């Protein structure tokens, strides 16, 4: 089983995990193509509209989409959202698994797993959907499907302005700042307005419920789905050490790479060979 | 003596000795010695019997005894607690070795004798069981022997001498305490020399194993010097080591072939297989490698001195003139050598010496770099070889190189609209640029039209989840509960036919960008449009600042040493024929005290600040524009080039001569890229009567810019001095020429110089013109006002003046030339295009936002005068489309070309040249040499269905692949460049 929480994507390495595994091409090898696959089951979605009309180049569309999503993912990494971890699924770049840790407030100690679904005409479609594995008791979370009402924050999804990290950020915010207008869960909304104590106890129950299912098998069968397991030193201790060790020894990153650049430019200067100590490299 | 030693059959002896009681050995030794002494004393000098009179049987007897004694000495173990063994003690007490040496001197001290003695010591030193060299009675005769061998000529003796020296160095490296003794012993000999070292110096450049061994030995001492100040000081101040090493390079260089036999038209750089067949080149590279190693391990004092000698004793006096020889072939050969040298050097400090020569040194007031850049545009092999050189240069990931080549033109952000500056750092989240680049794919090359196996299309499953079929939809309505419980679609088209080769380009782009990014972490700035800040960009003064430390290093050498080294040093033969004046390398080196005096000339601030640097850059720029206008004619250009080289060579002839040449030059000016036009323009600007700007003398005199201008003009003034009458003629011609150009530019609606002026307001123009000429105003009366012809000359000067760099956007000569050549892709030969696209792909892989956005961001809005890569690509696409429309047979030809290129690549892969690309033509991610190897190794069998002369067909195929390569790089940038490398 996987470590308790794989937060590598927050440390700058996650991207490596995410992308090559889905495009595991080597030199001239292609990923195996399952024989069972039915021929084209749906018309291919178009890439960015700029070129989508040009039939010749339509075959690059998936590359554009793939890289747009990878770019989104690197943006998430860059944001370092507190308490939020995501990982694109193995099966599709359009589906991301995530987990959110609530550290204070009404939902304190809540650990909510969720899945983000990105429309396949991204970035020109609707805003992504965010669905909690277990419907959390919350005015903006659908009590049946577990879907968070994201759309109210992103009425119109605008490319270049809206990014997936904002959706994740929003998902975090709703647990700290409760909004009851146009609720997906009217009961929660009403309780919050009328009987906060009852609301609170319901929330506590909901948090307990969610946490009690923490070690369940992932809802979606995917190699990259986030799964939790009880602390097992044999498995987790080493992983934990590596996580902390990485921060302490950033130099290791470069070991074994022969390639090295050269510079004799003094910082702040725009002149070649302006460094005082000549030659500085030795 | 020691013949058995020499015969090397001591093993038998040692077996015999093993287990023999030490005391017995001692007794035997003493007995032998007693016998020897008898003979020795019999022939004592006091007995007045001099050499020659010693009977052979006596000599033989001594020899036999000595052999036995030596074996005994060698086999003796040291005593308790490292004390001397009894035999050794006896040897020391009785001064055995010295007496033996004197004895051999007394006889005829022939080379054979020396050889034997050397071998004796070699064995003794190498195989003794206890340390011997600590003892003066052993060391001193050894040193006497060594110094007696310093002037020997017999190869066997030399070989043995070097072997022994090497052995001594090994011992020194292990035991520093002996070092002191070596010095002391030398002093005893009345010499301040570190004898072992001095003896090795003559062998520095020797070929074969003797040279190699000598160099190895010297390296041992060099690494010793890093820790031992005394050794370092001695070598730097009291030996000829550095001068010999550096001038040796010059000497060896002079024996290199001045012309190379070009194996094929594809040839563009010297590979291992090439230079291995040229012994003189092998020898040169050995010495260069040695310099490299010395730089690496030696004490900084020695290193700096060596580098300064290499710079001032080889690069400047030898290589610079060689790069400016008269014929294209010679220049091409030198360029190929330079490229090879750069690839052979690995030590940063030595590389820095070469690079500062290329970037900062001026030959005939033109930077080497600019000359080299201009040659990219020369037709035939020179252009190709120059491209290869630049591929090497940009593959170094060197900030200084990239700064001079490209970045300094981008830092001020003049190339883009002001409002666009923030776009520089923006990332292309949605692969817009990649899409736009790929959209340039000519329809005749569409993957859809290629038959298998060229059609590298395959189905790639983006959604691996599709094996659990469920109804796919992106709409809310179909919210069926499928097995993931959500009914949400998450498929990027379940199965799509894709251009598989593109995956390889992506993979390659990733590698390329990653390694480049890693390498550039040592750079001083981000080059992202903010760091360094655009407005704070100082054109600065390009002086050969690298020389500063070298000067000091040179001064440390006492004047007494500034003499030609010993005769044994290979003295470069004068280079043949051409440019005698420039090739006086030995003068400049030999009298190095003189050189110290003269170098300040080079060291003084450059007359032209770099951003204003000038004529040739401006020429380049004009050339680029010309090329755009389609007036690029290779033959003409070639002629010009010859003329240019002529001009350079005749630089010292009178100005009048120059003026005679000029008209010819001027006529072909429009398609002439060479820096050597500089003299012409100097002359031209000089013809301006001082009156020109008399009206505005006070204007802006104190602005720094003006001052530079003043400097500049002053130089120009000095530089030329021709008769005024003739200049009128010339000006008229030139003016006429420019007028036609301008009108053509207008007709063709090409963004050329004409438009370049647009962003500049009239008032600014005036100001700048005023400033240009303020220097004249100071000296001349107001009365002589501008007359009409000169007014237009004004304009002329303006259009080309380097001082416009700040006002008229220009992305630098390097980019200009590359883009010009790219625009002519269809008429370039295959290998030129391979090099060209490889260089551009490598440039595009650099992570610096300024460079990346300039090359790849198709959204960036440039100033009208700036040509972008995308624009040029679009032009080429149009050319291809036009051609495809005209020529019906094109599709078959393209298929044939693709087949051939594919076969070619398969061949490379079989040969072990890895290549990830469908048509591998980029040296981008792999080392700069891989692409070269590919090009070189194997012209595969000539294509049957299509002639290689159909450059346009091959170019079309390459163009299509190049688009994919660039698009892949753009896409990878959108991800890689934003991942924090380190947290």
């Amino acid at each position: 089983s996987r470590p308790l929480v794989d937060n590598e994507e927050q440390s700058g390495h996650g991207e490596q995990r995410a992308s090559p595994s889905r495009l595991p091409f080597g030199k001239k090898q292609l990923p195996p193509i399952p024989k069972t696959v039915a021929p084209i089951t749906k018309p291919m979605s178009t890439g960015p509209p700029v070129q989508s009309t040009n039939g010749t180049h339509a075959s690059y569309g998936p590359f554009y989409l793939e890289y747009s999503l990878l770019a989104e993912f690197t943006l998430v990494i860059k944001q370092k959202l507190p308490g939020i971890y995501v990982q694109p699924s193995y099966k599709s770049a359009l589906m991301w698994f995530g987990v959110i840790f609530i550290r204070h407030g009404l939902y304190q100690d809540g650990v909510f797993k969720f899945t983000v679904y990105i429309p396949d005409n991204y970035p020109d479609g609707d805003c992504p959907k965010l669905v909690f594995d277990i419907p959390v008791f919350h005015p903006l979370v659908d009590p049946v499907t577990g879907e968070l009402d994201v759309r109210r924050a992103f009425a119109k999804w605008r490319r270049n302005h809206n990014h997936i990290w904002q959706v994740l950020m929003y998902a975090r915010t709703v647990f700290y700042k409760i909004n009851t207008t146009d609720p997906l869960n009217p009961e929660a909304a009403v309780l919050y307005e009328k009987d906060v104590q009852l609301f609170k106890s319901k929330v506590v129950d909901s948090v307990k419920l969610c946490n009690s299912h923490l070690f369940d098998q992932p809802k979606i069968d995917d190699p990259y789905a986030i799964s939790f397991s009880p602390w097992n030193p044999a498995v987790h201790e080493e992983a934990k050490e590596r996580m902390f060790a990485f921060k302490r020894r950033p130099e290791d990153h470069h070991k074994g790479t022969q390639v090295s650049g050269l510079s004799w430019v003094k910082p702040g200067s725009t002149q070649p060979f302006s460094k005082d100590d000549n030659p500085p490299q030795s | 003596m020691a013949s058995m030693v020499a015969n090397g059959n001591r093993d038998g002896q040692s077996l015999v000795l093993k287990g023999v009681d030490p005391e017995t050995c001692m007794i035997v030794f003493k007995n032998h010695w007693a016998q020897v002494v008898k003979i020795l004393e019999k022939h004592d000098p006091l007995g007045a019997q001099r050499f020659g009179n010693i009977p052979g049987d006596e000599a033989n007897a001594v020899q036999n005894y000595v052999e036995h004694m030596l074996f005994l000495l060698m086999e003796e173990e040291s005593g308790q607690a490292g004390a001397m063994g009894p035999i050794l003690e006896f040897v020391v007490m009785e001064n055995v070795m010295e007496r033996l040496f004197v004895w051999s001197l007394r006889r005829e001290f022939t080379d054979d004798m020396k050889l034997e003695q050397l071998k004796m010591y070699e064995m003794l030193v190498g195989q003794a069981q206890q340390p011997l060299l600590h003892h003066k009675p052993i060391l001193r005769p050894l040193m006497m022997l060594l110094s007696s061998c310093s002037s020997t000529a017999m190869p066997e003796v030399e070989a043995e001498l070097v072997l022994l020296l090497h052995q001594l160095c090994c011992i020194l490296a292990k035991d520093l305490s002996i070092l002191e003794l070596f010095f002391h012993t030398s002093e005893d000999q009345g010499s301040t020399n570190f004898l072992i070292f001095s003896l090795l110096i003559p062998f520095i450049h020797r070929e074969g194993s003797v040279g190699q061994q000598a160099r190895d030995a010297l390296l041992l001492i060099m690494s010793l010097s890093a820790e031992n100040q005394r050794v370092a000081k001695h070598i730097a101040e009291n030996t000829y080591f550095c001068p010999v090493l550096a001038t040796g390079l010059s000497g060896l260089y002079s024996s290199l072939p001045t012309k190379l036999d070009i194996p094929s038209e594809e040839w563009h750089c010297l590979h291992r297989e090439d230079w291995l067949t040229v012994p003189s080149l092998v020898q040169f590279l050995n010495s260069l490698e040695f310099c490299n190693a010395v730089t690496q391990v030696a004490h900084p004092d020695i290193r700096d001195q060596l580098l300064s000698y290499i710079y001032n004793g080889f690069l400047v006096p030898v290589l610079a003139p060689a790069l400016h020889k008269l014929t294209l072939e010679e220049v091409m050969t030198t360029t190929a050598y330079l490229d090879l040298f750069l690839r052979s050097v690995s030590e940063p400090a030595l590389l820095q010496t070469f690079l500062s020569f290329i970037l900062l040194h001026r030959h005939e007031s033109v930077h080497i770099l600019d000359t080299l850049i201009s040659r990219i545009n020369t037709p035939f092999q020179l252009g190709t070889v120059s491209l290869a050189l630049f591929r090497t240069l940009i593959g170094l990931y060197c900030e200084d190189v990239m700064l001079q080549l490209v970045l300094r033109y981008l830092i001020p952000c003049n190339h883009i609209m002001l409002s666009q500056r923030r776009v520089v750092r923006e990332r292309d989240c949605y692969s817009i640029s990649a899409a736009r680049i790929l959209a340039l794919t000519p329809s005749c090359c569409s993957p859809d039209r290629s038959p298998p196996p060229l059609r590298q299309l395959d189905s790639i499953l983006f959604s691996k989840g599709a094996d659990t079929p469920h109804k796919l939809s992106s709409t809310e309505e179909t919210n069926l509960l499928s097995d993931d419980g959500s009914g949400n679609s998450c498929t990027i088209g379940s199965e799509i036919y894709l251009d598989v080769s593109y995956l390889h380009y992506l993979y390659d782009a990733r590698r390329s960008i990653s390694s480049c990014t890693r390498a550039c972490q040592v750079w001083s700035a981000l080059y992202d449009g903010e760091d360094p800040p655009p407005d704070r960009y100082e054109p600065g003064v390009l002086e050969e600042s690298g020389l500063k430390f070298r000067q000091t290093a040179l001064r440390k050498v006492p004047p007494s040493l500034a003499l030609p080294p010993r005769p044994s040093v290979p003295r470069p033969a004068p280079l043949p024929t051409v440019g005698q004046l420039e090739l006086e390398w030995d003068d400049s080196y030999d009298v190095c005290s003189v050189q110290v005096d003269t170098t300040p000339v080079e060291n003084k601030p450059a007359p032209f600040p770099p951003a204003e640097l000038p004529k040739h850059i401006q020429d380049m720029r004009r050339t680029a524009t010309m090329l755009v206008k389609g007036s690029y004619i290779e033959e003409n250009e070639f002629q010009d080039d010859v003329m240019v080289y002529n001009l350079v060579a005749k630089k010292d002839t009178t100005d009048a001569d120059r003026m005679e040449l000029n008209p010819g030059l001027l006529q072909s000016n429009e398609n002439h890229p060479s820096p050597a036009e500089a003299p012409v323009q100097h002359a031209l600007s000089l013809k301006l009567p001082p009156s020109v700007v008399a009206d505005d003398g006070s204007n802006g005199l104190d602005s720094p810019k003006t001052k530079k201008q003043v400097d500049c003009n002053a130089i120009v003034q000095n530089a030329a001095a021709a008769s005024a009458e003739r200049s009128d003629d010339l000006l008229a011609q030139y003016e006429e020429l420019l007028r036609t150009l301008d009108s053509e530019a207008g007709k063709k609606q090409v963004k050329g110089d004409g438009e370049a002026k647009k962003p500049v307001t009239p008032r600014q123009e005036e100001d700048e013109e005023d400033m240009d000429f303020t220097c004249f105003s100071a000296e001349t009366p107001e009365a002589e006002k501008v007359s009409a012809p000169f007014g237009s000359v004004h304009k002329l000067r303006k259009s080309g003046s380097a001082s416009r760099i700040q006002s008229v956007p220009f992305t630098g000569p390097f980019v200009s030339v590359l883009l010009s050549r790219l625009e002519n892709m269809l008429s370039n030969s295959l290998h030129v295009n391979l090099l060209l696209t490889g260089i551009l792909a490598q440039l595009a892989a650099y992570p610096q936002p300024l460079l990346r956005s300039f090359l790849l961001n198709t959204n960036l809005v440039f100033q009208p005068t700036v040509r972008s890569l995308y624009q040029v690509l679009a032009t080429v696409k149009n050319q291809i489309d036009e051609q495809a429309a005209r020529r019906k047979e094109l599709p078959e030809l393209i298929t044939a070309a693709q087949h051939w290129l594919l076969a070619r690549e398969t061949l490379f892969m079989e040969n072990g040249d890895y290549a990830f690309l469908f048509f591998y033509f980029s040296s981008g991610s792999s080392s700069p040499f891989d692409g070269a190897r590919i090009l070189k190794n194997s012209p595969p069998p000539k294509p049957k269905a299509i002639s290689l002369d159909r450059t346009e067909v091959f170019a079309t195929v390459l163009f299509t692949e190049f688009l994919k390569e660039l698009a892949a790089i753009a896409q990878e940038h959108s991800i890689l460049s934003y991942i924090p490398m380190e947290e």
Side-chain angles (χ1 to χ4, degrees), chain A residues 264-275, chain B residues 399 403 411 524-525 527 531-532 536-538:
Chain A
W264 294 277
V265 181
K266 189 169 145 191
S269 165
T270 49
Q271 293 303 300
F273 307 110
S274 46
K275 264 189 189 166
Chain B
E399 180 175 12
L403 188 61
I411 291 171
S524 75
Y527 299 98
D531 169 29
R536 277 201 13 231
Y537 174 69
E538 356 127 22

Side-chain angles (χ1 to χ4, degrees), chain B residues 299-318:
Chain B
H299 188 277
D301 287 352
I302 301 175
R303 180 194 65 199
D304 290 352
Q305 198 186 50
L306 174 63
L307 294 178
S308 95
Y309 274 108
I310 289 178
Y311 194 96
N312 296 304
F314 168 59
L315 293 175
V316 170
V318 176

Side-chain angles (χ1 to χ4, degrees), chain B residues 827-871:
Chain B
S827 48
N828 288 343
S829 64
L830 173 64
H831 52 279
V832 165
N833 282 335
L834 287 171
L835 276 169
L836 200 55
T837 52
I839 288 174
L840 284 164
Q842 169 70 72
L843 284 178
Y846 272 90
Q848 285 70 27
L850 277 175
L851 190 51
R852 190 189 65 210
S853 63
F854 171 62
L855 291 174
L856 294 174
N857 190 339
T858 55
N859 289 332
L860 206 56
V861 183
F862 294 101
Q863 295 285 357
T865 46
V866 170
R867 292 191 25 99
S868 68
L869 176 59
Y870 181 76
Q871 277 176 299

Side-chain angles (χ1 to χ4, degrees), chain B residues 608-910:
Chain B
F608 301 96
E612 315 215 319
L613 198 209
K615 311 300 183 187
H616 49 275
I617 287 185
Q618 121 201 179
D619 287 342
M620 309 278 328
R621 173 153 166 263
R622 209 179 49 240
T623 318
T625 319
M626 309 296 173
L627 287 165
V628 169
K629 289 170 185 160
S631 55
Y632 177 93
I633 304 161
E634 289 205 333
E635 289 73 22
N636 278 2
E637 185 154 342
F638 172 58
Q639 280 193 329
D640 282 349
D641 229 80
V642 171
M643 209 176 311
V644 165
Y645 296 130
N646 270 314
L647 266 184
V648 171
K650 289 181 184 165
K651 184 222 163 205
D652 285 329
T653 56
T654 62
D655 285 320
D657 285 347
R658 193 183 299 162
M659 293 312 290
E660 276 170 17
L661 273 169
N662 278 340
L665 246 187
L666 278 174
Q667 275 168 6
S668 43
N669 240 342
E670 50 212 305
N671 36 31
H672 194 327
S674 168
E677 262 184 340
V680 180
Q681 295 201 348
H682 282 216
L684 275 177
S685 22
L686 254 208
K687 300 314 159 272
L688 297 173
S691 62
V692 172
V693 195
D695 51 329
D696 210 355
S698 59
N699 192 5
L701 246 181
D702 34 357
S703 85
K705 189 173 177 186
T706 315
K707 279 190 185 128
K708 276 172 206 150
Q709 223 84 93
V710 173
D711 274 351
C712 170
N713 280 332
I715 298 293
V716 166
Q717 203 163 21
N718 292 338
S723 58
E725 326 76 82
R726 307 198 67 158
S727 69
D728 282 347
D729 241 301
L730 218 89
L731 283 177
Q733 288 184 36
Y734 204 92
E735 194 188 326
E736 176 63 25
L737 215 136
L738 270 154
R739 210 181 299 126
T740 31
L741 275 178
D742 272 359
S743 58
E744 268 174 37
K747 265 183 261 164
K748 292 200 179 179
Q749 287 190 310
V750 177
K751 288 156 189 167
D753 274 2
E755 276 164 273
K757 291 172 193 159
K758 277 180 188 167
V760 186
T761 68
R763 179 58 209 160
Q764 279 171 336
E765 278 187 41
E766 264 176 49
D767 281 347
E768 277 163 11
E769 278 167 30
D770 291 346
M771 283 193 285
D772 279 351
F773 298 95
T774 38
C775 66
F776 294 110
S777 64
E779 305 162 20
T780 47
E782 279 237 358
E784 303 176 27
K785 276 270 177 174
V786 194
S787 58
F790 296 125
S792 42
V793 167
H794 248 188
K795 212 156 134 204
L796 173 162
R797 189 162 188 277
K798 171 169 185 52
S799 70
S801 168
S803 64
R804 298 300 161 234
I805 281 178
Q806 268 127 3
S807 51
V808 176
F810 175 46
T811 52
F814 184 57
V815 167
S816 290
V817 172
L818 287 182
L819 293 185
S820 308
R821 291 220 75 166
L822 187 68
E823 184 154 50
N824 285 300
M825 218 180 155
L826 295 191
S827 48
N828 288 343
S829 64
L830 173 64
H831 52 279
V832 165
N833 282 335
L834 287 171
L835 276 169
L836 200 55
T837 52
I839 288 174
L840 284 164
Q842 169 70 72
L843 284 178
Y846 272 90
Q848 285 70 27
L850 277 175
L851 190 51
R852 190 189 65 210
S853 63
F854 171 62
L855 291 174
L856 294 174
N857 190 339
T858 55
N859 289 332
L860 206 56
V861 183
F862 294 101
Q863 295 285 357
T865 46
V866 170
R867 292 191 25 99
S868 68
L869 176 59
Y870 181 76
Q871 277 176 299
V872 174
L873 292 173
T875 314
V876 176
K877 175 204 160 49
N878 287 338
Q879 293 169 9
I880 292 173
D881 284 348
E882 278 171 28
Q883 182 177 270
R886 275 201 322 271
R887 309 251 296 273
K888 293 302 163 212
E889 81 281 16
L890 204 60
E892 289 95 76
L893 288 175
I894 285 174
T895 307
Q898 284 173 325
H899 269 291
W900 183 74
L901 286 167
L902 200 60
R904 182 174 179 272
E905 188 186 79
T906 314
L907 201 68
F908 297 143
M909 307 248 292
E910 281 165 5

Side-chain angles (χ1 to χ4, degrees), chain A residues 10-135:
Chain A
Q10 297 269 331
S11 63
H13 268 339
E15 174 275 335
Q16 304 230 316
R17 183 69 63 88
S19 89
S21 46
R22 215 166 34 256
L23 290 178
F25 50 86
K27 308 209 165 173
K28 281 215 165 184
Q29 286 198 324
L30 293 174
I33 300 152
K35 297 291 177 216
T36 54
V37 171
I40 303 172
T41 49
K42 103 183 250 255
M44 190 199 60
S45 62
T46 52
V50 201
Q51 286 312 320
S52 57
T53 49
N54 192 335
T56 328
H57 314 295
S59 60
Y60 293 108
F63 287 109
Y64 305 148
L65 178 53
E66 180 88 1
Y67 273 77
S68 301
L69 292 168
L70 283 173
E72 284 291 349
F73 186 70
T74 58
L75 276 179
V76 172
I77 292 171
K78 218 176 163 188
Q79 291 301 322
K80 297 188 177 31
L81 302 170
I84 298 181
Y85 302 89
V86 283
Q87 168 129 305
S89 82
Y90 174 79
K91 288 172 183 166
S92 167
L94 289 169
M95 182 165 68
W96 295 10
F97 303 115
V99 61
I100 182 167
F101 293 83
I102 305 300
R103 283 153 185 173
H104 53 89
L106 292 173
Y107 290 83
Q108 184 168 352
D109 298 330
V111 182
F112 308 127
K113 290 205 273 182
F114 62 86
T115 308
V116 179
Y117 298 93
I118 301 152
D120 64 357
N121 55 349
Y122 175 86
D124 297 310
D126 284 332
C127 70
K129 288 202 282 181
L130 192 150
V131 182
F132 289 101
D133 285 12
I134 299 167

Side-chain angles (χ1 to χ4, degrees), chain A residues 15 59 67 92 129 263 278, chain B residues 352 399 488 490 498 972:
Chain A
E15 174 275 335
S59 60
Y67 273 77
S92 167
K129 288 202 282 181
S263 170
N278 257 316
Chain B
Q352 192 235 24
E399 180 175 12
N488 292 293
C490 50
L498 291 164
E972 283 294 342

Side-chain angles (χ1 to χ4, degrees), chain B residues 51 255 297 325 737 847 854:
Chain B
F51 38 75
S255 56
V297 300
K325 283 195 189 174
L737 215 136
F854 171 62

